[in-house]
Structures are given as C-alpha cells and as structure tokens.
Amino acid sequence: MEVEVKLRLASADAHKKLQDLLASGRVATHQQENFFFDGPNRELNSKRVVLRLRFYDTDKKAEITLKGKQILVDGIGRASEVNEVVDAVTARKYLAQPSDMLQLPSELLQNMAKQFEVSSLICLGGFNNSRQEIQWHGFTLELDETTYPWGTLYELEAETVSQSSIYLY
C-alpha cells in the first residue's frame, strides 16, 4: 500500500513560489492526460475503486492504473495502486471504445473485471495536468497544475510506502 501526502496550494502564485523554491531538484516535467472508467452500473465506484488511463507527453507513454479503496488512519490515507504500461497509440482507441480495454492480455484488467464483475466499460471523462517531478531529501515530489473544465487547481504530492517516513520533516 502506498501513502500519499497531498497539499492543495492556494493559488497560481503559491505554485510559482514553490516551483522556484524547488527548482534545483526538478528532474522532469510531463504533460499528462487522465481519463477515468467504470462499468455501466458503477461497479468500480460503488466499491471506491478507480480505473485510470494516463497519457504522458501526448503519446510517449500510456499507463493503466487501478486504485483501491483508500483507508484513512490517523489522518493518513493508504490505498493499493497497481500500474501497467500499455501501448499509447492503441490506448487512444480506448477513449472511443472503452470496453476494448478489457480485451488486453492484462493481468491487472482481467483480475479487475473478475473481482468487480465488470463486463464492459464507459469513459467518465478526465482532466489534463502539468506535473513536475522533483527530488527532495530522498523523496520524489510531484508539483501539479491541473486543469478542469471549471478551473485550475495546484497541488504538491509525495508518495511513500512507509508511513513513518512522512514524519521525518
């Protein structure tokens, strides 16, 4: 299980200040497109499970992610997350024909379909973001600017598999 620490930033100005402060640790910037899927009867959502298809830098990489139900303990959320890289050009077709994704020879998708009784998929929509990956004191930080149809949000995220490492700083 991974532990995610997410901090919502108040404004574009706060994002810019943090970006400048952490600039020396920046290792990459990616433009991401994120799309979400579920069964027609909300088979995944009803179990608090998320199926995401993410594209990196247009079609340089695509990744399917299945996130399990988050468990909160002492204000810290933990959720299972399984990722699988897929061919980006082929993955673009799943936006128009989501159920075709279930035909992939993918252990992740086959297990999901069986466990949650998903026989078809629909695309729920998505969002775009610019993500900067930053190395800081042994952590990989992700500084995001996320664009939704209704506005833009700014966030700093750190992931770890060890809850105790969160308390180091």
Side-chain angles (χ1 to χ4, degrees):
M1 291 242 194
E2 76 174 16
V3 177
E4 291 183 346
V5 177
K6 293 185 179 193
L7 302 173
R8 176 83 37 95
L9 304 175
S11 64
D13 186 51
H15 179 270
K16 174 74 169 110
K17 286 178 183 176
L18 191 54
Q19 176 180 293
D20 292 346
L21 183 67
L22 297 172
S24 65
R26 186 174 321 133
V27 294
T29 300
H30 299 287
Q31 301 307 311
Q32 299 178 335
E33 298 170 75
N34 302 275
F35 298 93
F36 299 87
F37 300 85
D38 201 344
N41 297 311
R42 299 183 55 215
E43 292 88 344
L44 299 175
N45 185 300
S46 67
K47 303 285 192 279
R48 303 272 193 244
V49 172
V50 174
L51 178 61
R52 178 185 67 211
L53 175 59
R54 174 178 282 165
F55 295 91
Y56 293 81
D57 303 315
T58 308
D59 286 337
K60 287 187 180 173
K61 177 182 170 184
E63 186 175 69
I64 295 171
T65 300
L66 187 67
K67 288 189 174 196
K69 179 180 178 181
Q70 187 177 70
I71 300 166
L72 287 172
V73 176
D74 297 328
I76 296 174
R78 288 191 180 118
S80 62
E81 182 174 313
V82 181
N83 302 300
E84 189 172 286
V85 174
V86 295
D87 178 71
V89 174
T90 302
R92 284 273 170 208
K93 298 174 185 173
Y94 303 143
L95 300 177
Q97 299 293 327
S99 292
D100 288 356
M101 200 181 329
L102 296 174
Q103 304 310 312
L104 279 172
S106 158
E107 186 175 339
L108 181 153
L109 290 170
Q110 299 308 312
N111 288 341
M112 180 224 44
K114 183 178 179 181
Q115 181 178 352
F116 299 106
E117 299 177 346
V118 176
S119 58
S120 64
L121 293 170
I122 57 172
C123 183
L124 303 173
F127 60 83
N128 297 327
N129 69 303
S130 176
R131 171 167 287 173
Q132 297 176 48
E133 293 179 9
I134 300 159
Q135 291 299 310
W136 181 79
H137 294 276
F139 289 95
T140 298
L141 304 179
E142 298 167 337
L143 184 61
D144 290 347
E145 178 177 349
T146 304
T147 306
Y148 298 96
W150 44 265
T152 302
L153 293 178
Y154 305 93
E155 180 179 79
L156 179 67
E157 179 179 328
E159 295 180 4
T160 180
V161 293
S162 170
Q163 179 177 336
S164 62
S165 66
I166 293 171
Y167 301 109
L168 292 177
Y169 296 95

